[in-house]
């Protein structure tokens, strides 16, 4: 009481007003919490919770209708795994308040149009599926849903639209049928038959050039890697043959059938798919990942077949759970393991397959790679008695199929596996993989084991890896990551430049200035000057050798020491690498000195790019140079190349953003003056705009320069690929040997990887690539990769 009286006396009853305005906010928060949590674990049944919630919402409709509409539309879009729970709730509200049902349907259609306009195709898909399930809840009349599907399928008749546009509209219809197919067929069988016939006709004439580029495995056995639309259509056809029966969708509305069937239904307003526009970004096609079938889960419930619609429904729901909760690994793992109907299926097998399906999805996984590692670790903790065994079985299966596995997926597999092992004391039954010891080291299995151990060493230390691996694996254990200093002792005294290394070493110890060091380096003879003595300033590889070998040797203790050394002598390094040959040679020296420590090579090159000692094109040229032929197929080399390309792309994006910000600022100034209509301000406008216009001009030049550099980088990379692959193919043809070697598979798939990982950037330069490099005269093996890439956005 004293608190209330004190506040009343304080400021004339002001807190009362504050309480009145905060009360609606509290109620709105409570409504949001109630709606979002319905369907989660509770002592009451789902049906009674839904009925109770419908009563609460109905009572609050007069005051909070807009808020309730907004929350329900949002959960329909963002919580697709609880689709039938929310459709039932909307059905109950519609039965009690017909006008609210009509407004909800209108809001959903508005939201659908908006998501399509904003290229949010996944969210649009969930909205279409939600609308279709409202037919089961007697909110939407079946004929109007069929009419909407007819409009969707009519997109396949368009002449100019890309195939990926047609794919999305066909997928939106097919992926809704497990939920609503039975109801629509009962009411409108002729129209539904016509829709399915149109889809079948489209699928038969559809181009599938892109499929090999997106497959995790090239082999069709033991499990075919099917194109997603073909697979879903086969599942829907089987469901139709089984009279639209399915046993895995939770359908709470069945319990309320007597209430819902009395409700008045709404017709969907006519919905025409928005026309294709140049800035539309449709989802890329996919290949369905298959790793298990009913023979792999011998005990307990049987796994549904690959063409049963149950398999699609289960996988779709598990994907939705991951999509909703991926940021919270503990919640995500708990939600996956509490999947409804888990006793009817081998849930652990489904979860593991879905997680690896996402991790290996090409071109990119839906979420960051490390999320899948942490999620699997969490699942192993929650199900220690069963899930680790399924995971070990999956790992073993993937290892046995490495020969036909896509190189990009092998990269992700080894990243995941090494990270996973580091969380479980690196325990693994290595002897089971001893078959790799009898194979050539460039074959996929020994290569994989070697790379896993290399990656594990980054997460541990060399001796630990030596201790955990059986002695007979010694050929695959990474070398001790020590620095190779070629001017180490007196035996190196005959090497050119040896006396200078001693002088450089002393100068660094005595904290000499950059100028003093450059003076010492002047005495280094130039091995390139024998032919032409006049060129005093020509590129001198020995200077770079002597200085960088000595500097890195003295800083070899840690990453930090090396970074400090590069920063301290940045000016010297910039002068030494003034030419393209200099940039190439500095990378060669780093490689020679640290060839036993790939991680150090990666971080040093990263640092050199950031500090502009070398440029991105130099790194690309170095990777494809003969000096790197020995390590060309090593994982770390491609890690460096992709990191380099990403840096270039980020640099361009950063300058473009600065340019856009400056243009927006200028636009705001103009509109402010226009609104004020102040003549005096108009006079000052030129003075005000001048500096900004100059800045925009400078940024425009920077953008053009950066884009030119970016284009050049891709031209260098693709040109080198073409040269290497063409030489290999000609050599094999001349020698009469099979070109399809492990090296060729790795190289051609690395070319695919560049296209896939950087597809958004590469698409800007397609015309240039086609005119200069990927011409009709090119060998068809290489040209096929380019055509597959083009087909992804056809």
């Amino acid at each position: 009481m004293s608190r209330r009286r004190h506040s009343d006396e304080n400021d004339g009853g002001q807190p009362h007003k504050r309480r009145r305005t905060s009360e609606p906010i509290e109620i709105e928060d409570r409504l949001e919490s109630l709606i979002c949590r319905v369907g989660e674990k509770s002592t009451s049944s789902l049906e009674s919770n839904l009925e109770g919630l419908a009563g609460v919402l109905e009572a609050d409709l007069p005051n909070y209708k807009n808020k309730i509409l907004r929350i329900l539309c949002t959960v329909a879009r963002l919580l697709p795994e609880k689709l039938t729970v929310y459709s039932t709730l909307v059905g109950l509200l519609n039965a009690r308040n017909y006008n609210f049902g009509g407004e909800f349907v209108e809001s959903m259609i508005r939201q659908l149009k908006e998501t399509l306009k904003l290229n949010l195709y996944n969210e649009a898909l969930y909205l279409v599926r939600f609308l279709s399930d409202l037919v089961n809840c007697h909110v939407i009349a079946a004929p109007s849903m069929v009419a909407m599907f007819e409009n969707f399928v009519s997109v396949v008749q368009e002449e100019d639209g890309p195939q990926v546009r047609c794919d999305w509209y066909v997928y939106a219809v097919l992926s809704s049928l497990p939920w609503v197919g039975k109801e629509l067929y009962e009411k409108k069988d002729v129209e539904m038959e016509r829709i399915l016939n149109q889809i079948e006709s489209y699928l038969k004439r559809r181009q599938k050039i892109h499929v090999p580029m997106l497959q995790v495995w090239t082999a069709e056995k033991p499990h075919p890697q099917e194109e997603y639309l073909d697979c879903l259509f086969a599942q829907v056809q089987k469901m139709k043959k089984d009279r639209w029966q399915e046993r895995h969708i939770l359908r709470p509305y069945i319990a309320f059938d007597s209430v819902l069937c009395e409700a008045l239904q709404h017709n969907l307003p006519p919905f025409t798919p928005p026309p294709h526009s140049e800035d539309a970004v449709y989802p890329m096609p996919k290949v369905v990942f298959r790793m298990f079938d009913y023979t792999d889960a011998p005990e307990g419930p049987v796994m549904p077949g690959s063409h049963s619609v149950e398999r699609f429904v289960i996988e779709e729901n598990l994907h939705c759970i991951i999509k909703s909760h991926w940021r919270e690994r503990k919640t995500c793992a708990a939600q996956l393991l509490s999947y409804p109907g888990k006793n009817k299926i081998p849930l652990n097998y489904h979860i593991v397959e879905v997680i690896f399906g996402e991790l290996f999805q090409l071109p990119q996984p839906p979420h960051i790679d490390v999320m899948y590692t942490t999620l699997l670790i969490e699942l192993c903790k929650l199900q220690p008695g069963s899930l680790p065994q399924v995971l070990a079985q999956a790992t073993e299966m993937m290892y046995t199929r490495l020969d036909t596995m896509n190189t990009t997926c092998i990269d992700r597999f080894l990243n995941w596996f090494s990270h996973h092992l580091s969380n479980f004391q690196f325990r693994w039954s290595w002897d089971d993989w001893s078959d790799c010891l009898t194979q050539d080291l460039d074959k996929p299995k020994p290569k994989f084991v070697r790379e896993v151990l290399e990656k594990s060493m980054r997460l541990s230390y060399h001796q630990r890896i030596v201790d955990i691996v059986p002695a007979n694996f010694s050929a695959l254990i990474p070398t001790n990551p020590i620095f190779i200093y070629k001017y180490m002792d007196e035996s190196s005294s005959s090497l050119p430049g040896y006396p200078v290394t001693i002088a450089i070493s002393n100068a660094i110890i005595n904290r000499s200035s950059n100028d003093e060091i450059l003076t010492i380096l002047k005495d280094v003879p130039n091995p390139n000057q024998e032919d032409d003595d006049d060129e005093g300033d020509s590129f001198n590889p020995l200077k770079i050798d002597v200085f960088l070998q000595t500097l890195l040797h003295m800083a070899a203790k840690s990453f930090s020491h090396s970074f400090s050394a590069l920063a301290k002598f940045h000016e010297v390094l910039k002068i030494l690498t003034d030419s393209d040959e200099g940039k190439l040679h500095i990378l060669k020296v780093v490689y020679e000195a640290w060839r036993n420590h790939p991680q150090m090579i990666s971080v040093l090159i990263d640092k050199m790019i950031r500090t502009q000692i070398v440029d991105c094109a130099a790194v690309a040229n170095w990777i494809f140079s003969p000096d790197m032929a020995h390590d060309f197929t090593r994982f770390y080399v491609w890690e460096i190349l992709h990191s380099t390309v990403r840096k270039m792309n980020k640099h361009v994006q950063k300058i473009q953003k600065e340019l856009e910000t400056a243009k927006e600022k200028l636009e705001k100034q103009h509109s402010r003056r226009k609104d004020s209509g102040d003549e005096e301000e108009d006079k000052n406008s030129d003075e005000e705009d001048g500096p900004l216009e100059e800045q925009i001009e400078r940024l425009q030049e920077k953008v053009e320069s950066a884009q030119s550099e970016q284009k050049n980088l891709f031209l260098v990379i693709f040109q080198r690929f073409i040269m290497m692959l063409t030489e290999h193919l000609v050599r094999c043809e001349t020698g009469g040997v099979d070109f399809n070697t492990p090296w060729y598979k790795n190289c051609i798939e690395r070319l695919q990887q560049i296209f896939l990982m950087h597809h958004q950037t590469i698409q800007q330069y397609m015309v240039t690539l086609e005119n200069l490099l990927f011409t009709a005269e090119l060998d068809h093996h290489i040209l096929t990769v380019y055509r597959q890439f083009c087909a992804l956005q056809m």
Side-chain angles (χ1 to χ4, degrees):
M1 285 297 289
S2 62
R3 272 208 307 264
R4 187 183 296 165
R5 195 160 50 246
H6 173 73
S7 62
D8 286 352
E9 290 162 5
N10 230 5
D11 44 42
Q14 193 66 25
H16 278 314
K17 282 188 184 173
R18 193 177 300 127
R19 251 200 307 278
R20 274 201 298 275
T21 54
S22 68
E23 197 175 331
I25 293 168
E26 282 174 24
I27 293 171
E28 286 178 8
D29 289 346
R30 182 176 62 85
L31 288 173
E32 190 167 329
S33 173
L34 284 171
I35 292 170
C36 290
R37 288 167 61 189
V38 70
E40 292 177 11
K41 278 187 180 176
S42 165
T43 49
S44 311
S45 70
L46 174 60
E47 287 75 17
S48 64
N49 283 340
L50 281 168
E51 197 161 15
L53 180 57
V56 170
L57 295 179
E58 186 195 8
D60 283 323
L61 276 179
N63 298 321
Y64 301 102
K65 183 178 69 179
N66 290 339
K67 177 71 177 174
I68 292 168
L69 273 171
R70 197 160 59 248
I71 297 169
L72 286 173
C73 285
T74 304
V75 293
R77 194 179 83 243
L78 299 180
L79 295 177
E81 69 274 19
K82 285 158 73 173
L83 157 68
T84 54
V85 174
Y86 291 122
S87 62
T88 306
L89 178 60
V90 172
L92 291 171
L93 286 169
N94 179 62
R96 296 168 186 226
N97 187 324
Y98 176 75
N99 288 338
F100 174 80
E103 286 185 52
F104 176 77
V105 171
E106 283 173 14
S107 296
M108 287 287 283
I109 291 293
R110 268 199 309 276
Q111 194 170 215
L112 176 59
K113 286 176 179 173
E114 193 61 30
T115 49
L116 289 173
K117 189 177 165 187
L118 296 171
N119 290 325
L120 300 171
Y121 287 96
N122 275 343
E123 293 181 16
L125 193 68
Y126 300 140
L127 292 174
V128 173
R129 200 175 294 168
F130 194 95
L131 287 168
S132 70
D133 202 46
L134 289 180
V135 175
N136 295 320
C137 304
H138 297 270
V139 177
I140 290 173
S144 69
M145 195 71 225
V146 172
M148 184 191 229
F149 283 170
E150 282 174 334
N151 285 341
F152 273 31
V153 174
S154 69
V155 169
V156 304
Q157 309 297 338
E158 292 174 356
E159 290 181 9
D160 303 333
Q163 181 172 290
V164 280
R165 169 179 164 82
C166 303
D167 285 356
W168 186 83
Y169 283 100
V170 167
Y171 185 74
V173 174
L174 287 176
S175 64
S176 300
L177 293 182
W179 280 263
V180 76
K182 187 179 182 188
E183 190 75 14
L184 297 184
Y185 241 84
E186 282 174 4
K187 304 269 178 29
K188 288 279 185 180
D189 58 335
V190 175
E191 289 84 347
M192 285 304 296
E193 197 64 48
R194 190 166 59 240
I195 287 172
L196 287 179
N197 286 338
Q198 276 183 282
I199 290 174
E200 185 173 19
S201 165
Y202 167 68
L203 294 180
K204 280 178 181 171
R205 67 175 189 270
R206 185 170 163 262
Q207 292 286 330
K208 282 179 275 194
I209 305 165
H210 59 273
V211 173
M213 200 176 218
L214 301 178
Q215 286 178 319
V216 175
W217 286 291
T218 51
E220 287 297 302
K221 289 182 180 178
H223 310 297
Q225 306 297 302
E226 289 180 281
E227 219 274 344
Y228 78 125
L229 278 181
D230 290 344
C231 184
L232 179 54
F233 187 70
Q235 289 165 331
V236 168
Q237 287 289 67
K238 187 177 182 303
M239 187 190 188
K240 180 187 161 196
K241 191 179 168 189
D242 297 340
R243 297 183 179 180
W244 300 98
Q245 296 301 313
E246 66 72 42
R247 293 174 293 280
H248 280 279
I249 295 176
L250 178 73
R251 297 185 187 266
Y253 37 77
I254 292 171
F256 299 104
D257 194 50
S258 56
V259 177
L260 297 176
C261 70
E262 296 294 321
L264 292 169
Q265 293 174 304
H266 304 270
N267 283 317
L268 284 169
F271 184 88
T272 308
H276 171 61
S277 63
E278 286 304 313
D279 56 350
V281 183
Y282 301 100
M284 278 195 178
K286 296 193 289 278
V287 168
V288 179
F289 178 75
R290 287 276 178 264
M291 184 160 57
F292 298 126
D293 62 22
Y294 65 94
T295 60
D296 297 309
E299 295 169 12
V302 176
M303 182 175 249
S306 62
H307 282 171
S308 76
V309 83
E310 283 82 5
R311 187 76 168 254
F312 170 76
V313 168
I314 295 161
E315 287 168 356
E316 188 67 7
N317 284 331
L318 294 176
H319 283 304
C320 288
I321 290 170
I322 294 172
K323 187 175 185 292
S324 296
H325 304 287
W326 69 275
R327 287 183 181 83
E328 295 289 337
R329 66 183 193 280
K330 291 184 185 233
T331 310
C332 191
Q335 291 284 342
L336 288 169
L337 292 171
S338 58
Y339 177 72
K342 59 184 177 182
N343 300 325
K344 296 188 282 182
I345 54 170
L347 182 61
N348 287 344
Y349 283 88
H350 282 291
I351 289 172
V352 168
E353 186 176 69
V354 162
I355 290 174
F356 279 121
E358 287 202 7
L359 177 60
F360 296 148
Q361 187 176 312
L362 296 167
Q364 298 284 7
H367 313 292
I368 56 170
D369 296 15
V370 75
M371 187 281 292
Y372 300 103
T373 312
T374 56
L375 180 56
L376 284 167
I377 291 166
E378 205 58 47
L379 288 162
C380 288
K381 287 179 186 172
L382 291 175
Q383 293 273 29
S386 57
L387 207 132
Q389 290 87 320
V390 178
L391 199 51
Q393 187 181 339
T395 307
E396 189 62 42
M397 290 169 87
M398 289 188 286
Y399 170 78
T400 57
R401 299 181 65 188
L402 278 170
D403 288 357
T404 60
M405 197 175 196
N406 183 296
T407 301
T408 305
C409 298
I410 293 176
D411 286 354
R412 294 180 198 170
F413 178 26
L414 76 87
N415 269 332
W416 163 76
F417 187 54
S418 52
H419 190 174
H420 187 82
L421 287 178
S422 72
N423 282 272
F424 295 94
Q425 291 84 48
F426 295 99
R427 286 197 300 266
W428 186 251
S429 47
W430 296 104
D431 288 325
D432 293 350
W433 288 2
S434 56
D435 62 327
C436 72
L437 301 174
T438 58
Q439 299 180 9
D440 291 342
L441 290 179
D442 63 343
K443 290 283 174 67
K445 285 181 180 177
K447 197 168 185 53
F448 173 77
V449 173
R450 181 186 176 186
E451 294 287 7
V452 164
L453 296 175
E454 172 77 61
K455 195 79 179 173
S456 298
M457 190 173 74
R458 293 191 188 188
L459 303 166
S460 180
Y461 52 94
H462 184 257
Q463 192 54 46
R464 179 79 195 276
I465 304 304
V466 173
D467 294 343
I468 60 164
V469 178
N472 58 336
F473 276 73
S474 58
L476 302 178
I477 293 173
T479 48
N480 197 5
I482 53 170
F483 188 89
I484 301 166
Y485 186 45
K486 68 179 183 183
Y487 302 106
M488 178 61 82
D489 47 37
E490 293 298 322
S491 62
S492 317
S493 57
S494 60
L495 288 173
Y498 176 76
V500 183
T501 61
I502 297 164
I504 291 288
S505 182
N506 291 332
I508 292 171
I509 290 166
N510 295 327
R511 300 173 185 270
S512 298
S513 69
N514 287 336
D515 288 341
E516 287 168 326
I517 285 186
L518 286 167
T519 306
I520 296 167
L521 287 171
K522 269 186 180 173
D523 299 336
V524 177
N526 189 347
N528 287 349
Q529 233 171 307
E530 292 169 14
D531 302 329
D532 186 359
D533 290 334
D534 298 337
E535 284 191 44
D537 291 333
S538 68
F539 156 64
N540 186 342
L542 193 55
K543 272 187 187 180
I544 296 172
D545 252 17
V546 165
F547 177 67
L548 193 59
Q549 274 263 348
T550 308
L551 180 67
L552 292 178
H553 171 61
M554 295 180 78
K557 193 173 182 182
S558 70
F559 293 132
S560 303
H561 285 78
S562 300
F563 291 166
S564 298
L566 292 180
K568 187 173 182 184
F569 297 102
H570 180 258
E571 188 189 330
V572 177
L573 292 166
K574 284 283 280 181
I575 291 167
L576 293 177
T577 57
D578 194 30
S579 64
D580 289 344
E581 298 113 301
K583 291 179 175 65
L584 213 54
H585 194 72
I586 202 170
L587 293 165
K588 186 181 170 184
V589 173
V590 169
Y591 171 70
E592 284 173 354
W594 278 119
R595 80 172 75 108
N596 293 334
H597 196 339
Q599 189 182 8
M600 183 64 91
I601 296 173
S602 300
V603 295
L604 286 178
I605 289 173
D606 183 274
K607 195 72 175 173
M608 285 175 168
I609 294 171
R610 285 173 191 273
T611 53
Q612 296 177 355
I613 293 169
V614 298
D615 56 39
C616 297
V619 175
N621 278 315
W622 166 71
I623 283 171
F624 288 95
S625 68
D627 297 322
M628 289 301 290
H630 182 261
D631 276 9
F632 186 72
T633 59
R634 292 282 301 278
F635 172 73
Y636 82 92
V637 171
W638 299 96
E639 200 177 36
I640 291 170
L641 186 62
H642 288 298
S643 168
T644 303
V645 175
R646 276 196 298 273
K647 268 190 194 57
M648 184 75 252
N649 295 348
K650 279 182 182 172
H651 172 62
V652 174
Q653 285 163 10
K654 182 171 171 268
I655 304 169
Q656 282 174 332
K657 199 169 181 186
E658 285 174 16
L659 177 62
E660 281 164 27
T661 308
K663 282 180 176 175
E664 281 169 19
K665 201 172 171 187
L666 186 65
E667 188 62 38
K668 277 178 188 169
Q669 281 185 16
H670 286 172
S671 58
R672 195 175 64 239
R673 281 198 299 272
K674 198 176 177 183
D675 294 343
S676 67
D678 191 335
E679 288 179 24
E680 192 59 42
E681 204 166 319
D682 277 352
K683 290 174 187 172
N684 299 328
S685 63
D686 291 343
E687 292 173 30
E688 202 177 318
D689 290 350
L692 207 49
E693 283 169 350
E694 282 173 25
Q695 186 192 353
I696 288 169
E697 209 172 301
R698 278 197 307 275
L699 284 169
Q700 194 82 53
E701 285 171 13
K702 278 177 82 174
V703 166
E704 285 167 15
S705 167
Q707 282 177 333
S708 170
E709 208 179 320
Q710 185 183 50
K711 188 201 285 187
N712 181 51
L713 175 62
F714 282 114
L715 285 171
V716 166
I717 292 169
F718 289 129
Q719 189 181 38
R720 295 289 184 273
F721 263 120
I722 290 168
M723 285 163 64
M724 289 182 85
L725 285 163
T726 306
E727 281 171 20
H728 172 80
L729 291 164
V730 169
R731 195 165 53 244
C732 291
E733 193 178 341
T734 310
V737 293
D738 184 12
F739 69 86
N740 200 5
T741 60
W743 180 91
Y744 173 79
K745 179 184 180 292
N746 189 289
C747 192
I748 202 87
E749 287 180 1
R750 290 294 181 192
L751 174 59
Q752 286 180 351
Q753 186 183 42
I754 295 287
F755 274 120
L756 288 174
M757 283 184 74
H758 311 288
H759 62 96
Q760 285 164 322
T761 310
I762 292 169
Q763 273 159 2
Q764 301 168 40
Y765 307 120
M766 294 287 273
V767 176
T768 310
L769 290 175
E770 204 158 314
N771 291 339
L772 295 181
L773 299 176
F774 294 96
T775 57
E777 296 79 47
L778 194 62
D779 186 286
H780 73 95
H781 296 95
I782 307 167
L783 200 54
T784 299
V785 174
Y786 179 71
R787 285 178 178 153
Q788 286 170 354
F789 171 69
C790 294
L792 286 176
Q793 286 289 355
M794 257 170 53

